[in-house]
Amino acid sequence: MGILNELDAMNHDGDLAPASLNGDERGDVAAETVAKTAKRTRKKAAAQKTTRQTARSKKRARAALREQFDAPPTLDELPDPQAELDANPELQKHNQQLGQELLHEIEMTIKRLMRLSPAYKTSLAVPADVQAVIGDNIEAVAASAGGVNILKRFQKLLPGEMIDTDTLKGMWTMLKFTGEYQVDVFKRRLKGDYDTDEWGMDQEFIDAIRPLLDFMYNKYWRVSMAGLENIPDDGRALLVSNHSGQLPFDGAMIGSGILQHHPASRMMRALYANWFPTLPFVSDLLTKTGQVMANDENAERLLAQDHLVAVFPEGYKGVGKLYKDRYHLARFGRGGFARIALKTKTPLIPVAVVGAEETYISLYKSQTMAKLIGFPYFPISPTFPLLGPLGLIPLPTKWYIDIGEPIRTDEYPDGSENNLMLISQLTDQTRDTVQNMINDRLRQRKSIFLG
Amino acid sequence: MADERVIVVTGVAGYWGNRMVTRLLEQDDVHVIGIDDETPQVNVDGLDFIQADLRNPLLIELLRQEEVDTVVHLKFRETLAASESGFEQNVMGTAKLLGACGEAGVPRVILKSSTMVYGARPDNPMFMREDHPLNGSKKYGYVRDWIEIEKYADSFQEQNPDTLLAILRFGNIVGPKADTPMTRFLREEEAITLLGFDPMMQVIHEDDVVSALAHAVNGAEAYRGVFNVASEKGMPLWKMLGLATKLPIPILHPFAYWSVSLGGPRLAPLPLDYLRFPCMGDMTRMRDVLRFTPQYTPEETVREFSAQQRVRKLLGKKSRETFEQDRLRDTLERRKRVRERGGASKRARRKSHAE
């Protein structure tokens, strides 16, 4: 064991070993062969490999694997020296001799070194060594398992710092602190010591679920948002968006995007339909994230308080659209949003969401099921309800959210909210704008999943 | 003293009647007549008590003869299950009293009601104005009676425009001594909630209820119409339970509804809908027309209530001490607020009376 340890120490501490191994091709191969025999005879021999050697052996494993599957080698790969070696027993013998000479030489060098510096000690407990041992063994197992690469991936995931005791201590402290903090927050909330606004929005709750929203926004749907400058930094505004995707994720993504990227990081208040408050947890979630039940009184009050409000005038007709009807806007309600915008003199900001339609592929709407369980619609998709809750996982499509230029309503005289012609004209104008924005984006889009 | 205002308070044997009479008797310019069909347990000095049933036809004579200026109707029996006797007493009693007031030409009538008459429904606006339709649950006796009384009062106001009828719809009344649906809910051993629902609730302290009623009686101008009265801002149900130091026990809502429909309203002091959907009033009219501001913030109200709770003994010594500190701080802040607002504290009022 002694020689190996020293050899290893040298690999790490001095330039000697790499220099000695940097000779001609043959010597290199010989060293490797020696290493291999040593590995077989003494169990933990793998510790002596240099980084270069590791890379080389990996390459070799890959080549072996390729041979196994009869795939032709590519030009950039070197021919396998191992196979060459196996074919020629004379060369093998020669190599073994060379290797033994080399080992002897190295041993002598170490002894000379030790005589020169008697205080020098070697140990295996250096974190990098332990990692190297683990890493090499993982590789060995992976190679013997016939090229199952999962373990190799684990090895890649294992950075050197993971083994360091200080890192572990630090991690433990952080975890403990986080745990204690969470328990404290939970205890405090259980005592009722937290605050909400008058609509029930709970900032702590929003902070807690924001990582999930940000993940969905940035990583899962890779939303790209354009036209944020059309949203004012303060003052009332009414976002009018198309609604799609069976579950109302589009509202969450618009809100999350505005919160993340708008310079004033405004909180959007979406108005939701009266079916959601009857659902447990959904009602709670919507209220705590600051969303508000859609009706005239709530909308007027929110706008009078200068909030940024979002409406989805398509309603269930939009969200429960069949796949074949995607991106064809449904009727925009009865124009209630236009009436309220006229009444409160709020600018209408059209918003087009592209990509949400494909998150679920609804082939058919079952009236019977919907009536049976009291849902406004019940979609049948290739995965739902066949796979149960798994069918609820949305597809990772690429989303685009385009925010259009505001449609001003403050130029109309007072009392315009009773002008039915104006309301229907304004409704149609908004709907056409959103439809055009969707069409423009669809023309540019090349792929549903890649954008 | 001929210029004394004569005020009739009904239901003086009950908690609200008693509080109201005590409050009104602090003033020198009023003569208070208390009416109830049972004798009050606590004697109030200076109260002119008349034992009578509200359905007695001679009530008109009484109102005429005493030249009554204001009637504060507080006689109300909170029956859980809808019952005929409760209806008879509450609704018919109010109807007869209102009829008598109309006949005798009483200028002002004040009724006490609850925001629960709006009903808790999924499509409710977060803050309901006074003209919102009354969709409350008819399964619970007291909610049904309130709705019936209000409907009767509405038609009464149309027929008798000379009588100024003010209806104060209070939010969930919470207080250490009051016995209301909400306090009964909070006093239960277990706070049963519905899993996954956390509606916003408005509360008002019992002292503020009495203050609001006295404010309506004493106002320089006479108030007509309906007023929601509660603290402007609501709080989530779970926060309220936390402040009341109760651990919520969430139950799956179909199961809870099913058991209440089988076991009757006795199982739940509050109709389950009110634990599921918000039922809150818009306070604009209270602020702008009634010009009344509750003294207690919602947090203070609930903390004040829970101070009296037996459950508090189960808490550790340390948290009990912090709790007491919180309470005293609440009180100090409240007194400061009152002084800043220039409202008449009891001491100031006594001083002005002496002058």
Side-chain angles (χ1 to χ4, degrees):
Chain A
M1 228 25 212
I3 289 178
L4 286 168
N5 284 350
E6 280 146 13
L7 201 86
D8 178 64
M10 240 170 21
N11 282 350
H12 282 284
D13 295 36
D15 291 321
L16 201 91
S20 74
L21 288 168
N22 262 342
D24 62 351
E25 185 87 17
R26 275 179 172 265
D28 208 327
V29 169
E32 266 188 55
T33 326
V34 171
K36 215 178 171 188
T37 16
K39 198 195 256 173
R40 245 177 253 137
T41 45
R42 300 167 212 182
K43 279 174 192 171
K44 295 291 177 188
Q48 69 181 323
K49 287 196 175 178
T50 62
T51 38
R52 197 186 142 171
Q53 271 176 317
T54 318
R56 187 161 278 240
S57 71
K58 263 186 206 167
K59 203 182 262 176
R60 207 171 56 213
R62 268 205 297 278
L65 204 74
R66 203 175 291 116
E67 264 183 24
Q68 201 180 327
F69 291 105
D70 288 321
T74 47
L75 281 172
D76 57 340
E77 295 278 344
L78 286 163
D80 193 9
Q82 186 66 42
E84 219 176 300
L85 211 66
D86 288 343
N88 197 341
E90 256 183 58
L91 193 70
Q92 238 172 342
K93 216 175 187 179
H94 181 67
N95 273 350
Q96 247 170 23
Q97 264 177 15
L98 258 177
Q100 264 161 18
E101 273 171 38
L102 191 71
L103 251 183
H104 180 70
E105 211 169 289
I106 291 168
E107 209 175 322
M108 292 317 283
T109 321
I110 290 165
K111 275 184 183 163
R112 224 177 299 142
L113 265 176
M114 282 177 83
R115 208 175 300 145
L116 282 171
S117 55
Y120 180 74
K121 268 182 193 168
T122 60
S123 79
L124 241 175
V126 187
D129 295 355
V130 180
Q131 198 218 343
V133 170
I134 294 172
D136 285 350
N137 283 328
I138 285 175
E139 198 186 15
V141 174
S144 68
V148 180
N149 280 337
I150 295 168
L151 287 168
K152 277 190 180 176
R153 276 190 200 159
F154 273 129
Q155 185 199 3
K156 271 178 209 157
L157 280 176
L158 199 76
E161 296 85 32
M162 284 293 283
I163 310 297
D164 191 20
T165 25
D166 281 347
T167 314
L168 289 177
K169 262 188 210 162
M171 275 172 65
W172 169 243
T173 319
M174 283 301 290
L175 277 174
K176 211 174 122 201
F177 176 75
T178 320
E180 277 170 5
Y181 176 74
Q182 296 293 348
V183 169
D184 274 359
V185 168
F186 187 70
K187 269 189 190 165
R188 183 165 55 75
R189 288 181 68 90
L190 213 56
K191 274 192 219 156
D193 191 6
Y194 62 99
D195 210 10
T196 62
D197 77 346
E198 65 170 30
W199 302 93
M201 185 177 89
D202 187 341
Q203 196 56 50
E204 278 179 0
F205 184 82
I206 293 177
D207 292 345
I209 65 157
R210 256 196 80 174
L212 179 70
L213 282 179
D214 290 357
F215 167 77
M216 293 308 271
Y217 185 91
N218 294 319
K219 297 278 157 59
Y220 198 75
W221 283 315
R222 296 147 284 140
V223 187
S224 62
M225 198 175 233
L228 265 175
E229 66 280 358
N230 291 321
I231 296 175
D233 281 357
D234 47 15
R236 63 191 74 169
L238 190 60
L239 300 173
V240 186
S241 169
N242 62 321
H243 209 10
S244 52
Q246 312 305 324
L247 290 176
F249 290 126
D250 42 2
M253 287 302 109
I254 300 172
S256 170
I258 294 172
L259 203 58
Q260 271 187 58
H261 299 301
H262 193 269
S265 108
R266 292 192 71 173
M267 190 68 217
M268 187 192 83
R269 304 302 194 96
L271 302 181
Y272 55 79
N274 63 2
W275 173 54
F276 295 110
T278 62
L279 302 174
F281 299 109
V282 177
S283 102
D284 205 7
L285 182 84
L286 288 170
T287 315
K288 289 227 182 328
T289 51
Q291 321 303 310
V292 176
M293 162 70 207
N295 53 37
D296 289 9
E297 290 93 336
N298 284 349
E300 276 169 35
R301 194 179 167 107
L302 278 170
L303 290 172
Q305 291 168 352
D306 281 342
H307 281 295
L308 180 66
V309 183
V311 287
F312 301 90
E314 285 181 274
Y316 301 133
K317 300 186 296 304
V319 79
K321 232 175 272 170
L322 293 182
Y323 191 69
K324 65 180 170 67
D325 300 326
R326 63 191 186 280
Y327 300 120
H328 292 289
L329 291 189
R331 179 167 56 83
F332 261 27
R334 275 150 290 179
F337 73 92
R339 192 181 66 245
I340 284 166
L342 283 169
K343 195 172 177 185
T344 53
K345 300 210 181 301
T346 309
L348 293 166
I349 301 177
V351 177
V353 182
V354 169
E357 289 273 24
E358 288 96 356
T359 49
Y360 298 103
I361 296 165
S362 167
L363 301 173
Y364 177 70
K365 279 191 272 188
S366 169
Q367 294 281 342
T368 330
M369 271 310 282
K371 266 184 196 155
L372 207 64
I373 53 176
F375 281 20
Y377 56 90
F378 190 87
I380 309 283
S381 81
T383 50
F384 184 80
L386 200 67
L387 298 182
L390 278 179
L392 289 174
I393 299 172
L395 295 174
T397 52
K398 163 86 181 167
W399 283 31
Y400 292 94
I401 299 176
D402 294 303
I403 299 163
E405 280 177 23
I407 301 168
R408 288 180 63 178
T409 54
D410 51 352
E411 290 151 344
Y412 300 105
D414 287 347
S416 306
E417 68 264 21
N418 301 320
N419 186 343
L420 291 179
M421 278 308 291
L422 181 62
I423 289 172
S424 79
Q425 183 219 320
L426 206 58
T427 311
D428 289 347
Q429 188 192 343
T430 320
R431 185 172 180 274
D432 292 347
T433 316
V434 174
Q435 183 73 69
N436 286 340
M437 282 158 66
I438 289 176
N439 293 348
D440 285 350
R441 181 54 77 183
L442 285 176
R443 230 171 282 133
Q444 288 171 27
R445 187 174 73 158
K446 293 190 185 74
S447 155
I448 292 176
F449 293 102
L450 302 172
Chain B
M1 291 222 263
D3 55 340
E4 267 188 350
R5 273 176 76 193
V6 181
I7 298 172
V8 165
V9 179
T10 65
V12 284
Y15 172 75
W16 297 113
N18 185 297
R19 287 289 306 267
M20 193 63 207
V21 164
T22 320
R23 168 62 73 92
L24 288 175
L25 282 171
E26 283 173 15
Q27 300 168 219
D28 293 338
D29 54 344
V30 293
H31 177 75
V32 184
I33 298 173
I35 299 180
D36 208 325
D37 52 358
E38 47 198 305
T39 14
Q41 301 287 314
V42 195
N43 250 339
V44 184
D45 283 345
L47 173 68
D48 187 357
F49 178 67
I50 295 170
Q51 190 164 12
D53 193 298
L54 292 180
R55 285 160 288 179
N56 196 324
L58 279 175
L59 205 64
I60 306 172
E61 285 306 311
L62 172 79
L63 295 174
R64 266 202 198 119
Q65 194 180 309
E66 298 287 336
E67 289 174 357
V68 174
D69 178 72
T70 307
V71 172
V72 186
H73 179 43
L74 297 174
K75 176 83 186 165
F76 188 84
R77 198 165 66 109
E78 275 178 14
T79 49
L80 262 183
S83 71
E84 195 49 44
S85 69
F87 187 88
E88 182 74 20
Q89 233 180 28
N90 291 332
V91 184
M92 295 323 290
T94 310
K96 295 259 164 68
L97 175 72
L98 284 177
C101 290
E103 280 290 300
V106 176
R108 283 199 210 183
V109 179
I110 293 156
L111 295 184
K112 172 178 166 289
S113 178
S114 160
T115 50
M116 281 173 93
V117 294
Y118 297 121
R121 292 160 70 91
D123 49 357
N124 273 350
M126 200 63 151
F127 300 94
M128 284 175 279
R129 291 196 204 100
E130 283 80 354
D131 53 3
H132 196 269
L134 310 181
N135 295 325
S137 135
K138 296 270 172 81
K139 281 176 196 148
Y140 278 66
Y142 56 90
V143 183
R144 185 192 70 166
D145 291 355
W146 271 325
I147 295 173
E148 294 293 334
I149 288 172
E150 290 230 12
K151 277 183 184 161
Y152 189 86
D154 197 31
S155 59
F156 167 82
Q157 182 67 88
E158 270 176 31
Q159 286 153 17
N160 302 274
D162 295 338
T163 302
L164 294 174
L165 180 67
I167 302 176
L168 303 190
R169 284 183 193 149
F170 291 101
N172 295 302
I173 303 169
V174 174
K177 295 194 199 82
D179 181 37
T180 66
M182 192 36 116
T183 56
R184 281 199 291 275
F185 170 70
L186 291 176
R187 280 195 188 108
E188 294 248 313
E189 289 290 325
E190 298 92 18
I192 304 281
T193 63
L194 301 178
L195 186 69
F197 289 101
D198 190 9
M200 298 291 281
M201 298 257 175
Q202 270 172 333
V203 292
I204 184 163
H205 194 272
E206 52 185 24
D207 292 354
D208 280 330
V209 173
V210 179
S211 303
L213 287 168
H215 180 87
V217 170
N218 291 325
E221 55 199 301
Y223 302 109
R224 184 203 284 271
V226 191
F227 301 93
N228 294 327
V229 181
S231 55
E232 177 106 40
K233 212 177 123 186
M235 62 165 98
L237 174 65
W238 278 55
K239 179 178 175 177
M240 183 154 79
L241 293 174
L243 288 174
T245 60
K246 295 198 79 83
L247 196 68
I249 299 173
I251 290 181
L252 207 63
H253 72 272
F255 179 70
Y257 275 92
W258 178 70
S259 29
V260 169
S261 73
L262 280 184
R266 239 177 318 151
L267 287 181
L270 274 177
L272 290 177
D273 277 348
Y274 294 85
L275 303 177
R276 195 172 173 202
F277 307 121
C279 173
M280 302 206 289
D282 183 299
M283 295 301 147
T284 320
R285 257 172 76 80
M286 172 186 91
R287 223 176 26 227
D288 299 344
V289 183
L290 196 64
R291 293 204 192 82
F292 173 77
T293 322
Q295 278 188 25
Y296 290 79
T297 66
E299 284 85 3
E300 285 171 6
T301 307
V302 181
R303 226 176 282 152
E304 182 80 16
F305 165 78
S306 56
Q308 313 289 327
Q309 286 302 294
R310 189 162 44 89
V311 190
R312 301 236 344 91
K313 281 175 197 147
L314 300 174
L315 288 178
K317 189 170 172 256
K318 199 181 158 205
S319 72
R320 201 155 55 225
E321 272 167 10
T322 49
F323 189 88
E324 294 303 327
Q325 279 170 15
D326 282 356
R327 238 184 105 218
L328 188 59
R329 200 177 53 233
D330 282 354
T331 315
L332 290 174
E333 272 174 14
R334 192 165 54 245
R335 290 171 79 97
K336 207 165 96 189
R337 271 206 308 275
V338 169
R339 208 170 300 136
E340 277 166 5
R341 216 184 287 142
S345 69
K346 237 175 217 174
R347 199 165 39 179
R349 220 183 301 151
R350 227 174 276 140
K351 211 185 275 175
S352 72
H353 282 316
E355 282 163 10

